[in-house]
Amino acid sequence: MFQTINIAKGVNVHVNETTQFKTINFSIRFKDKLTKEKASARSILANVLQHSNEVYPSHTALRMVLDDLYGTSLYMDSSKRGNEHIVTLNVETVNDEYLSETGVLEKVMNLMYIVLFKPNFEDGLFKPSIFEREKSAIKQRIESLFDEKTRYAQQRMLEHALPGHPASISPNGTIEDVESMTNEQLVAEYRTMIEENEIEIYAVGDIQPETIAAYIREYFHFSDREKPVSAPPLELKKPKEPRVLEFEVMKQGKLHMAFYTPITFHDEKFPIMQVMNGVFGGYAHSKLFVNIREKESMAYYVSSSYASHFGLLFVLAGIDANLEEKAVKLILEQFEEVKQGHISDTELDQTKALLTNQLKEALDSARGQIEIYDQYMELSETFEPEDIIARWKNVSKEDIAAVAQDISLEMTYFLSGKEEDSNE
Amino acid sequence: MNKVHFEQLDETLYHEKLDNGLEVYILPKKGFSKTFATFTTKYGSIDNNFVPIGKTEPIQVPDGIAHFLEHKMFEKEEGDIFQQFSKQGASANAFTSFTRTAYLFSATDLIEENVETLLDFVQEPYFTEKTVEKEKGIIAQEITMYDDQPDWRLYFGMIENLYKNHPVKIDIAGTVESIQDITAEHLYTCYHTFYHPSNMVLFIVGSVEPESMMALVKENQAKKTFEKPEEIVRIYPEEPVEAAIKERTLEMSVQKPKVFVGIKPEVLDLSGEQMMKHELAAQLAFELLFGRTSDFYHHAYESGLIDESYSFDYSLENGFGYALIGSDTQQPEELAKEIDNTIQRALELWPFGQADLDRVRRKKIGFFLRALNSPEYIANQFTRYAFNDMNLFDVVPALEALEVQDLQAAFYTVSLESQRSVFTIVPPEKESE
């Protein structure tokens, strides 16, 4: 699907030439080691770079050019995957085949070049007003997590269960680190990102790989860089407390449970864990959904998810604040069923069918293709979706029960509105 | 079968209206492996006062019933329909809006089986008092979940502010109290009135062969019997142009205040071409006034009045509509005032010309082309347009035909001070300030 062209050591261009989409998608990913300080710096950096540059010194000027290029979407974001922090420049533009105008693509590539290589510098620093403004934007982004109680509860749970571990580091870092960031530090971070980070460049659309590669070679001048030595995944330590209860002014209780598993993304048993998660709580036919929601009418949402880079399995449920104990008991009963291998043929077949469907569906969007390849190429440079589908097919109930044996519940976190309610 | 080719978009749409009144649309997408199908009835939360099929007197049904019915459609005597879809490798879902209820699946395999399942489960109601009772717990948790979401409360709080009588002001899911009154009999009444094929649209998009799929749908429908189609009598109250409530504040567990300025549009009875023209013109006018290239955005962002949560939106349905502009902000009053001033200034002197229109029009065309990569967008939006007698694929030519004065005219319908309202959510400790 993707054709890979090496541009420099540590810099690859992957192109999927296809007529499936009416647009052309680019994704340029800068990968670095994840720490909370780096996460803060790189989040601010992503915002500063997408805000303005030397050629388009105001946000308005830049956005006007994008509007003129048929609403080309251009944004940068910061995310994490395992021990890696990734800053991405995402661009999507219309294929000029559908327009009366040509040359749009080249203008867009030039704009990507400007965004990355022509920052809005004043005396060797980022323009101070923009630097301050975007620092405050990231601070507010971190703070706003509190408003979304499900995400907030998940973050709190991780902080309690795995303090300082990459699993609990926010891709935006912390407010303290954002506040203490200096302009000089950010410029240094920028240089590191452009000159030293491993870079994967993706392009999907009706375009020729050679055209993209030639353009990037000519304009982007990425030098050789070392691929960071991939550190072994950090060990999951036992949390200090197995159960944490916190209160907020809210109506629903948010139950979050963390299970540890020794099986991670790189383990050959990884596909078994995916099927296990699907049977346990991944889908509307799963044990959790059928028993907790449909049979007990206790929750609107209850599900499990597998964070394969860390070896974590989560269960999330929104329940009445008085029902924590009952919900935990029922969830653990369902987990015990999986552990005992009490899985029906239907449950197993449905899960495999839906995993397969999900993967194929994701490949029907350009973003999905990029995400999946960027991830699975870590496992094998010649990754084909059929490989993983075939591995799911071979998973048996016994395999699932066996991996479940090594999964342990380490922490239960409950964000409750109970206390406030009883005061009313 | 009718076949329309949209040259500019390189898409071909197949359509047929079946004998029972069902509108069927099929759009093959080259290169896609998935198929996405939606089966939608023109029945949403606002349809709570109507004349039941075969009756003469209107009835009023409990709040949240269309959404409750959506939940209950998935349960059958033989079990849960999700299980059936899962077996066939499909992920299924449904949603209820103000004006419609949609059932959908997406799958990469066994498309014919999944389409049959979709048609059959929506056309075979099965409700018992026992299963209706059981669902109340689940939906109560759903309502509670939304109650804790400040952005949803902000959105709904604003709609309650704008509308005095119209049922759009009722939360789509109803309340924990109102759903207690729902019975199986209610569900059957609503079902039989609104789930007639003549009130529904089937849209299938993706990896699909149109001829054989149309044949399959026709055969499936021919096997079933339906009542004779009747015109559905829906009753909506009179609604003044003015916003019902000028200003309101709600306390919630948030980090920072959130504010919306809402505007209630004046023109409410449009459909077809007129509606499309008006909606697009108003959207472009708002883009110019409040979009990311506007003077307003520039000043508000630079001065820290708005942050990344900033949004604006204009949307219109038959009988109601709203424009919403807002953000998380430490200065909700200043932001509301600035939004107001921006509108006032544009009223006094319309600041936009041809070049501005050309720019936002290109942006909108680009957005539309991007959206056509998404089977979900096509199916959902096409259906929404169809229920308002519009064709989604006319959007580009309609955009191209717009003139500056169209934008200005559309803007005038949302410019009166009395049409505006402000809704604010504040953290508890800030209340005393």
Side-chain angles (χ1 to χ4, degrees), chain A residues 137-167:
Chain A
I138 299 299
K139 240 176 73 183
Q140 285 160 12
R141 191 192 295 171
I142 297 170
E143 282 171 350
S144 71
L145 174 75
F146 176 77
D147 297 357
E148 287 174 60
K149 297 300 185 238
T150 307
R151 282 181 57 216
Y152 174 71
Q154 179 70 3
Q155 179 62 26
R156 290 297 296 157
M157 186 262 274
L158 287 168
E159 285 165 6
H160 285 294
L162 296 157
H165 188 278

Side-chain angles (χ1 to χ4, degrees), chain A residues 22-23 66-73 92-101 104, chain B residues 8-9 280 283-284 287 357-373 377 392-402:
Chain A
K22 293 192 192 322
T23 54
L66 290 167
D67 283 6
D68 267 332
L69 290 168
Y70 290 86
T72 291
S73 110
E92 183 174 12
T93 186
V94 292
N95 186 341
D96 50 28
E97 294 260 312
Y98 297 100
L99 307 171
S100 46
E101 190 180 337
V104 172
Chain B
Q8 199 180 0
L9 303 170
L280 291 172
Q283 282 170 349
L284 292 191
E287 180 72 43
L357 168 61
D358 289 343
R359 193 183 70 247
V360 289
R361 174 158 50 203
R362 286 152 82 97
K363 177 179 184 173
K364 190 102 180 159
I365 291 173
F367 167 83
F368 185 73
L369 287 174
R370 284 212 300 274
L372 290 188
N373 287 328
Y377 177 89
L392 178 69
F393 295 105
D394 291 340
V395 165
V396 174
L399 277 167
E400 282 169 344
L402 285 179

Side-chain angles (χ1 to χ4, degrees), chain A residues 34-44 46-47 77-80 85 137-145 151 169-178, chain B residues 308:
Chain A
L34 172 69
T35 63
K36 68 183 180 51
E37 296 80 10
K38 261 207 177 287
S40 293
R42 291 161 62 88
S43 295
I44 303 170
N47 263 40
D77 64 24
S78 58
S79 60
K80 67 168 185 174
H85 189 271
I138 299 299
K139 240 176 73 183
Q140 285 160 12
R141 191 192 295 171
I142 297 170
E143 282 171 350
S144 71
L145 174 75
R151 282 181 57 216
I169 296 175
S170 150
N172 296 307
T174 63
I175 291 179
E176 296 71 38
D177 287 323
V178 170
Chain B
E308 290 178 338

Side-chain angles (χ1 to χ4, degrees), chain B residues 160-312:
Chain B
E160 286 165 1
N161 270 17
L162 293 177
Y163 286 87
K164 185 163 182 269
N165 306 318
H166 195 283
V168 66
K169 70 175 192 165
I170 299 165
D171 193 297
I172 291 167
T175 64
V176 175
E177 293 74 38
S178 75
I179 60 167
Q180 305 308 326
D181 298 336
I182 293 173
T183 63
E185 201 191 332
H186 279 129
L187 295 183
Y188 277 114
T189 303
C190 293
Y191 180 85
H192 289 299
T193 305
F194 292 106
Y195 282 61
H196 193 278
S198 63
N199 193 42
M200 300 185 74
V201 166
L202 176 70
F203 199 102
I204 305 172
V205 48
S207 171
V208 53
E209 202 287 301
E211 303 283 343
S212 61
M213 184 52 78
M214 190 63 87
L216 176 141
V217 173
K218 282 167 89 166
E219 202 186 318
N220 175 287
Q221 292 300 288
K223 280 189 282 193
K224 299 171 187 171
T225 50
F226 298 93
E227 304 280 318
K228 262 197 158 333
E230 264 180 48
E231 182 88 18
I232 301 171
V233 182
R234 309 166 197 245
I235 297 148
Y236 301 115
E238 282 286 308
E239 180 67 35
V241 179
E242 298 81 47
I245 302 167
K246 272 319 279 178
E247 218 177 318
R248 206 151 51 99
T249 302
L250 173 75
E251 218 177 81
M252 259 186 106
S253 169
V254 291
Q255 194 70 30
K256 189 174 169 185
K258 291 171 181 284
V259 67
F260 255 160
V261 171
I263 312 169
K264 190 175 178 183
E266 177 195 325
V267 183
L268 298 173
D269 52 354
L270 299 177
S271 68
E273 239 175 89
Q274 265 191 315
M275 184 174 181
M276 183 179 283
K277 184 177 172 181
H278 175 82
E279 190 179 47
L280 291 172
Q283 282 170 349
L284 292 191
F286 274 90
E287 180 72 43
L288 284 169
L289 275 170
F290 295 106
R292 303 242 272 171
T293 52
S294 64
D295 288 345
F296 166 82
Y297 182 90
H298 178 74
H299 294 299
Y301 190 78
E302 296 303 321
S303 63
L305 211 49
I306 57 174
D307 67 15
E308 290 178 338
S309 65
Y310 172 75
S311 69
F312 71 98

Side-chain angles (χ1 to χ4, degrees), chain A residues 246-411:
Chain A
E246 294 187 321
F247 294 97
E248 277 305 330
V249 184
M250 53 193 272
K251 294 189 176 173
Q252 192 168 56
K254 303 282 183 190
L255 176 63
H256 291 237
M257 298 163 80
F259 297 76
Y260 295 0
T261 162
I263 297 164
T264 61
F265 185 67
H266 295 274
D267 198 294
E268 61 169 59
K269 289 182 188 155
F270 162 63
I272 303 176
M273 270 302 292
Q274 290 179 295
V275 180
M276 182 270 157
N277 176 55
V279 169
F280 179 41
Y283 298 104
H285 66 260
S286 67
K287 289 187 182 294
L288 291 182
F289 192 91
V290 167
N291 290 289
I292 316 292
R293 173 175 148 138
E294 296 300 313
K295 289 214 178 106
E296 295 285 335
S297 306
M298 268 178 78
Y300 171 66
Y301 73 88
V302 52
S303 65
S304 69
S305 62
Y306 172 40
S308 63
H309 283 90
F310 302 116
L312 291 165
L313 182 77
F314 304 117
V315 171
L316 273 65
I319 54 170
D320 185 283
N322 298 311
L323 295 178
E324 181 199 356
E325 209 175 315
K326 186 179 174 196
V328 170
K329 184 173 161 273
L330 288 169
I331 289 165
L332 290 178
E333 275 172 24
Q334 294 312 313
F335 181 65
E336 197 53 37
E337 288 290 297
V338 176
K339 229 168 153 176
Q340 298 294 326
H342 296 158
I343 297 159
S344 70
D345 291 338
T346 315
E347 284 174 315
L348 190 61
D349 294 345
Q350 286 173 327
T351 301
K352 291 176 184 178
L354 282 191
L355 278 165
T356 306
N357 182 49
Q358 236 172 16
L359 178 64
K360 285 189 183 165
E361 271 192 22
L363 295 171
D364 272 344
S365 89
R367 293 265 149 237
Q369 291 179 0
I370 293 168
E371 269 314 316
I372 286 166
Y373 274 82
D374 191 54
Q375 205 177 128
Y376 278 93
M377 262 187 297
E378 273 183 36
L379 292 183
S380 149
E381 286 190 11
T382 55
F383 168 75
E384 286 297 330
E386 290 308 323
D387 303 345
I388 186 96
I389 292 170
R391 291 172 70 191
W392 289 328
K393 275 210 180 94
N394 289 327
V395 173
S396 68
K397 292 174 202 174
E398 292 73 32
D399 294 337
I400 294 172
V403 299
Q405 295 305 321
D406 295 328
I407 298 173
S408 52
L409 172 67
E410 297 293 334
M411 178 155 183

Side-chain angles (χ1 to χ4, degrees), chain A residues 3 27 33 39 50 127 179 199 314 332-333 342 370:
Chain A
Q3 187 184 328
S27 177
K33 195 173 175 309
Q50 77 165 3
K127 191 176 171 189
E179 275 173 349
I199 301 172
F314 304 117
L332 290 178
E333 275 172 24
H342 296 158
I370 293 168

